[in-house]
Every structure is written in C-alpha cells, then in structure tokens.
Amino acid sequence: MHEEEIDWITIEVERRRLIEPLRFFKPNGAQARFLETVKKDDSEICLFPAGNWTGKTAAAIACLAAAIWPEQAEDPIFDHPLFKKWPFPKAARILTTPKEMSLTGSIQKEIRTWFPAGQYKSEKQGKLYPSLFAAKDWIIDTMTYDQALTEFEGGTIGLFILNEPPPEDIFDTCSRRMKFGGKILLPATPLTNAAWIWDRLISQDGKTGVYVVYGRTEDNCIEHGVNGVIPHKAIENMANKCADEDERQACLEGKFMHLAGCIFKGFKREVHCVKFEQSMLDGKDIYMVVDPAIGKPLFVIWAAVGPAGDILIYDEWPNYEFNKAKDPNFGVTEYKEQFKIKESVLKGQPITRILDKYFGNQRRTMGGLSLKQEFANVGLDFQDSYTVGDNSAEVETGILKVKDALRYDDKRPVDSLNRPKLTVADHCTNTIHALERWSRNTKTGKPSEDYKDGADDVRYLVMSNPEQYKSVDWDIKSLSYGVNTNSP
C-alpha cells in the first residue's frame, strides 16, 4: 500500500470518527447485556438500573441512533433485524429530568456524541436546548418530567427512552402511546422516584415483555471491565464520597435507594415468593396472626406450617394497599366475618391465632374489655405474641429470627435441600412490601414505623416457633402404673 493511500485512509478514519462516531461505538459489558435484551423479540420494557458512569444513557441513545442510521452501526451487537429495518413507528420520545435535558445534561451530550454531524436537524421550539429532532424519516421529541401530564398525551410512538426513574403516571401515559408496538428503554440510577418501578416492573422480570439488566460502574472500568473507559481510581474516589453503604450500592451498582436501611436485605422475591396453589394447604396446620393499630385496619396474615417446620404465608388481609388504607371501623363481629371468608378454603385444619400482646390486651374504655377478650366473646381465641426482655430487645430478637427463617445459601442453587424456611405467596403484596421495605433510620438505627405492621406480623409468627401438630398414641398402662411394657 502506497504512503498516499495510508494517509488517505488515516484521514478518512479520523473524519468518520468525528462525523460518524456511531461506527466506533463499542459497548462495555453492561451496555452489551442491555442491548442484547433490547433485541429480544418479546422485550417491550427494558430496564437498565445501573451505577453512575456505566454508560446507560449512552447505550440508549446509541440504540436509537443505530435504528435511524443502521448503515453506520458497525458493531456486531447491532447486526439484528430490529436495527437493520426498524419494525415499529419511526417516532421516538426521550424523557428525563430538566437538569438532564439541559444543554449540559446527559441527553444532549449523548445525542451530540452518537448522532452523525450534519445528518439531522434540530429545533429548540422555545426551549433553551434542542427539543425536536428530524433525521431521515424519523421524528424525535424530548420532554421533561416536570411538564403537565396532559402534554404527554397524543401521538403514536415506537421508541421511548425514559432516562432516570419517571413518575408512574407519566410512564402509564407513555405506554399507551404504543398502539403499533415498540420498545420502552428505562436506563436509570435508582436514587429517587423508584419504589413503584421495583414493585411493578422489577418483580415482573422475564414476564409479559419486561426485562431487567443491572449494570455496575466497574463494568465501565478501563482496568477491570470490557471496553471500559473510566479509570479505576476515579471509581474508588466516587465510592469514597458516598454517604453510606446504601448510597454506595445505588451509585455504583444500581441498587434501589428506596431500600436504603432495609432490615431484611436477604429477602429476594425470586427466592422467597411462590405461586400459590390450594394443594399447598393440604395436611398443614394453619397459623393466623393479627397486628392492630389505631386509625388503620388490622393487618392479618395466614400461614401454613409443614411437618419440617417450613412456613408459607399464603394469605393476608386487607387485600388492598395497606399503607394507604383507612380504618374500616369494623367491630370484632365484622372482622370475624372477614376471617370466616378467608378460612372457608380450609379442610378442618387446626388454627393457632396470635395477637399483638400490647394492643390486644389494652382496654379500650375504663372497665371495658380488651380486644383479645372481645374476640373471645365471638368465639375467636387468641394467644399473646412472644415476650423477650424489654420492647427493644423483643423487636431485635424477632428480627434475627425472621432473618434466620429467610436464610439460604445464595452461592448454591435453590432446591429441596437449600431453601429458606419462610416463603410468601406472591399475591400477598402487603407482606412482601413489609419484608422488602421495613428499614432503619439511617441516623438513629431504630426501625421505622413505615411497613412495620406487616413486619410485626411476620415477627410474631416466626417467634411462635410454629410447628405441625403431631398426634401421639400414649401407652395408658405405662402412664398410669409406671409399668415397663417391654419387660417380660
């Protein structure tokens, strides 16, 4: 090859690097996992909870650029019909916070990085930044989460990029705009506004078109990642600036910040939640636990206990969101009717009923009956919840017992020999939320009141050491006379 040809090639490569940067996109490990998920035929909502500097926004914008300019998307990861011939409406909408949409924010930066210079048009439309883009036969508009909900209505969209966690009502409005199909990409560091995403989407990973890919900042490390660009020293410096371990996990690993201080960190939906079938109650003893409080409904759970001491929380009351529930002003008779409905599925199994000893034994009026006595008067006999030292010691002892019941070896596959003692039916959402979200005040270390009711029920349950009743054939003669029946 002549020297002139080498010079020409060098110049052309540099020209393309400046003008058509998408040709040089090389995904790091986390980005590659995310883009592989986007390519799945059945993926509709692709979540990318990831640490800072993972390149999550870059991956989403590069994905859009590859769909618009497939001839420039040279990395093998884009060698797929989704990018070669986009099958959905060629309209995209990018949404994020006002800060991230500004001229110096990540969205504008990544558009300038991956869109080929001179091959698209942009308009500000009265904003301080470009808010409408046109390229080939594509239209891309941008919006921010502080806009009125009505502004998100109308139009048919084929690709949404929701950069950072959106409010739930905005997400719902966006999802209704895809009547001809499409993809929703949700790259985010889940620091705020993320609780609903955990409840509604993360729990559906692999189901109904929802896929979740986690990314760590270390995936984009020059020294330890694949195609990484961040010096390891910079990652260490960011970690050192985090206020605590919970913030560190959110910023570097994409862990959900609303779970900060979570007490039962070992609780995992994919392990501890099961699909309930009626046959799971066959031959089991039943435990029912009640936690009363002022101004709220009773929080009630039912659990089935097997011969090996395994515990399945299979039902709960109320069956609507407890944290927003108001006191239904039921008396013990109305509650008994609710319990009767719940227990109609049983086949005569014995029921052990447990009631919070503090509230249950308080007299509501001078000289009146306690709640425990009122229930006894309508035929429901409860035993008191456990006692261990003072109230603080009692709570902490119960927490340790629940943690022990949730424990399993996470380094090994879950099977009949390696599984937690305590599981929850996946429709018991209030109990699940309590186990996921009950947390400590990060300054005082004390358990919070939020989600405490459901967690208290679980505490009372496991501390009662539930077991299946075993009938015993007593040797009456031996008991009465002390006779050794085995002697000749």
Side-chain angles (χ1 to χ4, degrees):
M1 183 177 294
H2 295 297
E3 185 175 340
E4 291 181 359
E5 291 178 303
I6 295 175
D7 290 342
W8 182 87
I9 292 173
T10 301
I11 293 171
E12 178 61 17
V13 168
E14 287 306 309
R15 184 195 71 82
R16 291 189 177 192
R17 192 181 297 277
L18 291 172
I19 305 300
E20 300 176 346
L22 185 62
R23 296 183 186 277
F24 300 89
F25 177 84
K26 296 292 180 186
N28 63 43
Q31 291 173 325
R33 295 193 300 273
F34 174 63
L35 292 170
E36 289 293 346
T37 297
V38 174
K39 292 192 297 187
K40 291 179 180 289
D41 290 340
D42 65 335
S43 67
E44 180 179 331
I45 302 171
C46 303
L47 291 98
F48 191 15
N52 292 333
W53 303 345
T54 308
K56 50 191 180 295
T57 305
I61 298 299
C63 179
L64 170 59
I68 302 173
W69 295 279
E71 71 281 358
Q72 296 180 29
E74 295 182 359
D75 191 274
I77 204 161
F78 296 121
D79 187 14
H80 188 274
L82 179 71
F83 301 108
K84 298 297 183 183
K85 191 174 182 179
W86 183 256
F88 308 114
K90 293 182 177 181
R93 177 167 292 169
I94 305 171
L95 302 89
T96 191
T97 63
K99 180 180 179 181
E100 288 299 297
M101 191 62 78
S102 69
L103 277 174
T104 58
S106 63
I107 293 297
Q108 301 293 339
K109 173 181 175 294
E110 298 301 340
I111 288 176
R112 292 193 299 268
T113 298
W114 302 113
F115 280 24
Q119 297 183 37
Y120 64 93
K121 295 180 180 179
S122 64
E123 297 178 11
K124 290 187 176 181
Q125 293 194 312
K127 304 287 180 61
L128 297 176
Y129 50 81
S131 63
L132 182 67
F133 301 84
K136 294 186 175 180
D137 48 356
W138 278 77
I139 295 293
I140 305 103
D141 66 358
T142 65
M143 301 184 73
T144 54
Y145 296 146
D146 62 342
Q147 293 181 230
L149 189 62
T150 53
E151 296 182 51
F152 295 88
E153 299 286 354
T156 299
I157 309 294
L159 177 65
F160 280 99
I161 297 176
L162 306 176
N163 191 59
E164 301 305 338
E168 187 173 11
D169 54 358
I170 289 179
F171 173 85
D172 287 338
T173 301
C174 291
S175 62
R176 292 195 291 268
R177 306 272 70 78
M178 299 197 307
K179 63 182 177 182
F180 296 117
K183 304 275 183 177
I184 297 177
L185 312 186
L186 210 165
T189 299
L191 292 173
T192 58
N193 298 326
W196 75 266
I197 295 175
W198 177 272
D199 294 338
R200 183 171 159 188
L201 300 179
I202 300 295
S203 62
Q204 297 300 308
D205 185 17
K207 308 172 187 175
T208 61
V210 178
Y211 286 90
V212 183
V213 174
Y214 291 95
R216 300 167 59 247
T217 305
E218 199 72 13
D219 286 318
N220 203 19
C221 175
I222 293 175
E223 300 165 46
H224 306 111
V226 176
N227 296 326
V229 298
I230 305 296
H232 186 70
K233 186 64 177 178
I235 297 173
E236 287 183 333
N237 289 340
M238 180 169 64
N240 292 334
K241 292 177 182 177
C242 292
D244 52 34
E245 178 62 17
D246 290 307
E247 185 179 347
R248 192 197 71 80
Q249 290 188 357
C251 288
L252 273 76
E253 300 181 26
K255 299 292 180 66
F256 280 70
M257 191 64 180
H258 80 282
L259 301 177
C262 180
I263 291 174
F264 301 121
K265 291 183 184 293
F267 180 82
K268 309 292 183 187
R269 288 199 188 200
E270 63 270 23
V271 173
H272 295 96
C273 294
V274 299
K275 189 72 175 177
F276 176 70
E277 297 179 6
Q278 190 65 38
S279 60
M280 293 177 174
L281 304 183
D282 293 347
K284 305 290 179 61
D285 283 5
I286 305 301
Y287 280 69
M288 174 226 203
V289 187
V290 176
D291 183 68
I294 297 175
K296 301 178 183 178
L298 301 182
F299 198 118
V300 189
I301 60 173
W302 284 263
V305 180
D310 51 299
I311 306 167
L312 168 64
I313 299 174
Y314 72 88
D315 208 350
E316 65 181 11
W317 194 91
N319 294 115
Y320 46 87
E321 187 176 352
F322 181 81
N323 268 19
K324 295 181 179 179
K326 296 181 179 180
D327 190 345
N329 293 316
F330 285 173
V332 292
T333 302
E334 288 89 352
Y335 272 118
K336 181 181 179 179
E337 290 303 312
Q338 295 294 325
F339 302 161
K340 184 177 179 181
I341 294 170
K342 291 287 189 180
E343 295 167 6
S344 63
V345 300
L346 302 177
K347 300 176 181 178
Q349 296 107 308
I351 303 177
T352 300
R353 303 185 192 275
I354 300 170
L355 180 65
D356 169 24
K357 67 179 181 185
Y358 295 107
F359 197 100
N361 286 302
Q362 289 181 7
R363 299 181 186 277
R364 302 193 183 189
T365 58
M366 184 69 68
L369 299 178
S370 67
L371 180 60
K372 182 179 177 182
Q373 291 169 328
E374 290 179 3
F375 272 127
N377 281 350
V378 295
L380 296 177
D381 293 320
F382 284 86
Q383 67 183 45
D384 289 341
S385 58
Y386 70 101
T387 299
V388 178
D390 60 21
N391 185 55
S392 176
E394 189 170 278
V395 172
E396 294 302 329
T397 301
I399 287 173
L400 290 175
K401 187 84 169 180
V402 174
K403 287 183 176 180
D404 187 59
L406 294 171
R407 188 170 290 118
Y408 66 100
D409 187 350
D410 61 1
K411 302 295 191 300
R412 295 166 45 212
V414 176
D415 55 27
S416 58
L417 297 178
N418 178 41
R419 59 190 177 94
K421 182 178 181 179
L422 174 66
T423 53
V424 185
D426 59 8
H427 62 266
C428 296
T429 54
N430 288 313
T431 305
I432 292 169
H433 288 173
L435 289 169
E436 285 180 335
R437 299 185 184 181
W438 192 36
S439 61
R440 296 184 187 277
N441 184 300
T442 54
K443 294 182 178 179
T444 67
K446 294 181 179 180
S448 68
E449 291 300 312
D450 291 338
Y451 301 100
K452 183 176 183 292
D453 304 83
D456 282 347
D457 268 2
V458 180
R459 265 197 310 121
Y460 302 152
L461 173 65
V462 297
M463 284 299 292
S464 70
N465 295 313
E467 59 182 2
Q468 193 169 41
Y469 174 76
K470 300 178 180 64
S471 61
V472 178
D473 294 327
W474 297 102
D475 188 324
I476 301 300
K477 186 176 181 180
S478 176
L479 284 173
S480 301
Y481 305 105
V483 176
N484 184 352
T485 56
N486 293 322
S487 60

Short mmCIF file of all heavy atoms in Angstrom, two decimals, residues 374-396:
data_model
loop_
_atom_site.label_atom_id
_atom_site.label_comp_id
_atom_site.label_asym_id
_atom_site.label_seq_id
_atom_site.Cartn_x
_atom_site.Cartn_y
_atom_site.Cartn_z
N GLU A 374 -62.73 -9.28 73.57
CA GLU A 374 -63.85 -9.09 72.64
C GLU A 374 -63.87 -10.19 71.58
O GLU A 374 -64.93 -10.70 71.22
CB GLU A 374 -63.75 -7.72 71.97
CG GLU A 374 -64.03 -6.55 72.91
CD GLU A 374 -63.91 -5.22 72.21
OE1 GLU A 374 -63.65 -5.21 70.99
OE2 GLU A 374 -64.05 -4.17 72.86
N PHE A 375 -62.68 -10.56 71.06
CA PHE A 375 -62.62 -11.65 70.10
C PHE A 375 -63.04 -12.97 70.74
O PHE A 375 -63.73 -13.79 70.12
CB PHE A 375 -61.20 -11.78 69.52
CG PHE A 375 -60.96 -10.93 68.31
CD1 PHE A 375 -59.87 -10.06 68.25
CD2 PHE A 375 -61.81 -10.98 67.22
CE1 PHE A 375 -59.64 -9.28 67.13
CE2 PHE A 375 -61.58 -10.20 66.09
CZ PHE A 375 -60.50 -9.35 66.04
N ALA A 376 -62.66 -13.18 71.99
CA ALA A 376 -63.03 -14.42 72.69
C ALA A 376 -64.55 -14.51 72.82
O ALA A 376 -65.13 -15.61 72.72
CB ALA A 376 -62.37 -14.48 74.05
N ASN A 377 -65.20 -13.38 73.00
CA ASN A 377 -66.65 -13.37 73.15
C ASN A 377 -67.39 -13.77 71.88
O ASN A 377 -68.56 -14.16 71.94
CB ASN A 377 -67.13 -12.00 73.60
CG ASN A 377 -66.93 -11.77 75.09
OD1 ASN A 377 -66.59 -12.70 75.83
ND2 ASN A 377 -67.12 -10.55 75.54
N VAL A 378 -66.71 -13.66 70.72
CA VAL A 378 -67.35 -14.08 69.47
C VAL A 378 -66.75 -15.41 68.98
O VAL A 378 -66.90 -15.78 67.81
CB VAL A 378 -67.22 -12.99 68.38
CG1 VAL A 378 -67.99 -11.75 68.79
CG2 VAL A 378 -65.77 -12.68 68.05
N GLY A 379 -66.05 -16.08 69.87
CA GLY A 379 -65.57 -17.43 69.55
C GLY A 379 -64.20 -17.51 68.91
O GLY A 379 -63.83 -18.56 68.37
N LEU A 380 -63.41 -16.44 68.96
CA LEU A 380 -62.06 -16.46 68.39
C LEU A 380 -61.06 -16.29 69.53
O LEU A 380 -60.92 -15.21 70.10
CB LEU A 380 -61.88 -15.33 67.37
CG LEU A 380 -62.76 -15.41 66.13
CD1 LEU A 380 -62.53 -14.19 65.24
CD2 LEU A 380 -62.48 -16.68 65.34
N ASP A 381 -60.38 -17.36 69.86
CA ASP A 381 -59.43 -17.34 70.96
C ASP A 381 -58.01 -17.10 70.44
O ASP A 381 -57.52 -17.85 69.58
CB ASP A 381 -59.47 -18.66 71.73
CG ASP A 381 -60.81 -18.84 72.45
OD1 ASP A 381 -61.32 -17.85 73.00
OD2 ASP A 381 -61.34 -19.97 72.44
N PHE A 382 -57.37 -16.07 70.94
CA PHE A 382 -56.02 -15.71 70.54
C PHE A 382 -55.03 -15.94 71.68
O PHE A 382 -55.38 -15.76 72.85
CB PHE A 382 -55.96 -14.23 70.14
CG PHE A 382 -56.54 -13.93 68.79
CD1 PHE A 382 -57.92 -13.69 68.65
CD2 PHE A 382 -55.73 -13.88 67.67
CE1 PHE A 382 -58.45 -13.41 67.40
CE2 PHE A 382 -56.27 -13.60 66.42
CZ PHE A 382 -57.63 -13.37 66.29
N GLN A 383 -53.82 -16.30 71.32
CA GLN A 383 -52.73 -16.30 72.29
C GLN A 383 -51.88 -15.06 72.07
O GLN A 383 -51.86 -14.49 70.98
CB GLN A 383 -51.87 -17.56 72.14
CG GLN A 383 -51.07 -17.65 70.85
CD GLN A 383 -50.29 -18.95 70.75
OE1 GLN A 383 -50.81 -20.03 71.03
NE2 GLN A 383 -49.03 -18.84 70.34
N ASP A 384 -51.18 -14.62 73.14
CA ASP A 384 -50.36 -13.42 73.04
C ASP A 384 -49.13 -13.66 72.19
O ASP A 384 -48.59 -14.77 72.12
CB ASP A 384 -49.91 -12.97 74.43
CG ASP A 384 -51.05 -12.40 75.26
OD1 ASP A 384 -52.08 -12.03 74.67
OD2 ASP A 384 -50.90 -12.34 76.50
N SER A 385 -48.68 -12.59 71.54
CA SER A 385 -47.40 -12.65 70.85
C SER A 385 -46.28 -12.82 71.87
O SER A 385 -46.48 -12.66 73.08
CB SER A 385 -47.19 -11.38 70.01
OG SER A 385 -47.24 -10.22 70.83
N TYR A 386 -45.10 -13.11 71.41
CA TYR A 386 -43.99 -13.53 72.27
C TYR A 386 -43.49 -12.40 73.18
O TYR A 386 -43.74 -11.21 72.95
CB TYR A 386 -42.84 -14.03 71.41
CG TYR A 386 -42.13 -12.94 70.61
CD1 TYR A 386 -40.91 -12.42 71.04
CD2 TYR A 386 -42.67 -12.43 69.43
CE1 TYR A 386 -40.25 -11.43 70.31
CE2 TYR A 386 -42.02 -11.44 68.70
CZ TYR A 386 -40.81 -10.94 69.14
OH TYR A 386 -40.18 -9.96 68.43
N THR A 387 -42.74 -12.78 74.21
CA THR A 387 -42.13 -11.83 75.13
C THR A 387 -40.65 -12.14 75.26
O THR A 387 -40.27 -13.29 75.53
CB THR A 387 -42.78 -11.92 76.53
OG1 THR A 387 -44.17 -11.60 76.42
CG2 THR A 387 -42.11 -10.96 77.50
N VAL A 388 -39.80 -11.13 75.07
CA VAL A 388 -38.35 -11.26 75.27
C VAL A 388 -37.84 -9.94 75.81
O VAL A 388 -37.73 -8.96 75.08
CB VAL A 388 -37.59 -11.61 73.97
CG1 VAL A 388 -36.09 -11.67 74.25
CG2 VAL A 388 -38.06 -12.92 73.39
N GLY A 389 -37.51 -9.87 77.10
CA GLY A 389 -36.92 -8.66 77.67
C GLY A 389 -37.79 -7.44 77.45
O GLY A 389 -39.02 -7.51 77.44
N ASP A 390 -37.13 -6.27 77.29
CA ASP A 390 -37.88 -5.04 77.04
C ASP A 390 -38.29 -4.98 75.57
O ASP A 390 -37.94 -5.85 74.76
CB ASP A 390 -37.09 -3.80 77.44
CG ASP A 390 -35.77 -3.66 76.67
OD1 ASP A 390 -35.64 -4.26 75.58
OD2 ASP A 390 -34.88 -2.95 77.16
N ASN A 391 -39.03 -3.93 75.20
CA ASN A 391 -39.58 -3.85 73.85
C ASN A 391 -38.49 -3.83 72.78
O ASN A 391 -38.61 -4.48 71.74
CB ASN A 391 -40.44 -2.59 73.71
CG ASN A 391 -41.12 -2.51 72.36
OD1 ASN A 391 -41.83 -3.43 71.96
ND2 ASN A 391 -40.90 -1.41 71.65
N SER A 392 -37.38 -3.10 73.04
CA SER A 392 -36.31 -3.02 72.06
C SER A 392 -35.67 -4.38 71.83
O SER A 392 -35.45 -4.80 70.69
CB SER A 392 -35.24 -2.02 72.53
OG SER A 392 -34.16 -1.99 71.64
N ALA A 393 -35.38 -5.08 72.92
CA ALA A 393 -34.78 -6.42 72.80
C ALA A 393 -35.74 -7.38 72.12
O ALA A 393 -35.32 -8.24 71.33
CB ALA A 393 -34.40 -6.94 74.18
N GLU A 394 -37.02 -7.21 72.40
CA GLU A 394 -38.03 -8.08 71.82
C GLU A 394 -38.06 -7.92 70.29
O GLU A 394 -38.08 -8.91 69.55
CB GLU A 394 -39.39 -7.70 72.41
CG GLU A 394 -40.51 -8.64 72.06
CD GLU A 394 -41.74 -8.31 72.90
OE1 GLU A 394 -41.78 -8.76 74.06
OE2 GLU A 394 -42.61 -7.56 72.41
N VAL A 395 -38.03 -6.67 69.83
CA VAL A 395 -38.06 -6.42 68.39
C VAL A 395 -36.81 -6.98 67.72
O VAL A 395 -36.88 -7.67 66.69
CB VAL A 395 -38.20 -4.91 68.10
CG1 VAL A 395 -38.02 -4.62 66.62
CG2 VAL A 395 -39.55 -4.39 68.58
N GLU A 396 -35.64 -6.70 68.29
CA GLU A 396 -34.39 -7.14 67.67
C GLU A 396 -34.27 -8.66 67.66
O GLU A 396 -33.76 -9.24 66.70
CB GLU A 396 -33.19 -6.52 68.41
CG GLU A 396 -33.10 -5.01 68.29
CD GLU A 396 -33.00 -4.53 66.84
OE1 GLU A 396 -32.43 -5.27 66.00
OE2 GLU A 396 -33.49 -3.43 66.55
#
